[in-house]
Amino acid sequence: MKATIATRVLGALTAIAVGAALAGAAAWWGLGRIVASADDLREAASVLAVVADVRAASLGVRRFEKDFMLNAGDADVQARYVSGWREELARLRAGLAALKAASHNDAERDEIAGAIAAVDRYATGFDEVVRAGKDAKLGPAE
């Protein structure tokens, strides 16, 4: 049996349509993968922004601590630095809480909980230093 021209054209068009459908399905799948990757990158970028804020706040509390120590004996200046230290400490704690909320597994949450506990110990220690400085009434040269 000989295929007519119409049958051949219909077969070719069917092959083209199947090929186009397969190409479209592959493109749809690839687009879905790209969107998922973009979502992952957006989430990673937001977490990295929080990490940068936590790092900056941790450096800030240390800076205010240093400035507090350097101004021993000047109660007004020390009070300003303690106020700044408390603001940075609140920012640090908020950043750590945000990181903990964004964590994906127990290992990350445990690591962040350890950092929070270390910050709490540090804050308690610095509060004791501030109290001791007020009680000692040290002057700048002492």
Side-chain angles (χ1 to χ4, degrees), residues 90-113:
R91 202 172 122 213
L92 175 59
R93 286 179 167 153
L96 287 171
L99 277 179
K100 191 172 183 181
S103 64
H104 293 102
N105 57 50
D106 289 339
E108 288 178 356
R109 282 186 281 281
D110 291 345
E111 197 71 30
I112 296 167

Side-chain angles (χ1 to χ4, degrees), residues 77-100:
V77 173
Q78 280 188 314
R80 278 198 320 264
Y81 285 123
V82 169
S83 175
W85 179 84
R86 291 193 195 293
E87 290 173 11
E88 285 295 309
L89 182 65
R91 202 172 122 213
L92 175 59
R93 286 179 167 153
L96 287 171
L99 277 179
K100 191 172 183 181

Side-chain angles (χ1 to χ4, degrees), residues 19-103:
L22 289 174
W28 188 263
W29 175 81
L31 185 59
R33 298 280 301 159
I34 289 171
V35 168
S37 295
D39 289 342
D40 291 346
L41 286 173
R42 186 174 30 256
E43 181 182 349
S46 67
V47 169
L48 286 175
V50 174
V51 168
D53 288 345
V54 167
R55 183 174 186 272
S58 69
L59 293 173
V61 293
R62 297 307 302 258
R63 180 180 65 87
F64 283 111
E65 173 190 359
K66 172 193 62 90
D67 291 339
F68 172 84
M69 300 289 187
L70 290 174
N71 288 286
D74 191 340
D76 293 335
V77 173
Q78 280 188 314
R80 278 198 320 264
Y81 285 123
V82 169
S83 175
W85 179 84
R86 291 193 195 293
E87 290 173 11
E88 285 295 309
L89 182 65
R91 202 172 122 213
L92 175 59
R93 286 179 167 153
L96 287 171
L99 277 179
K100 191 172 183 181
S103 64

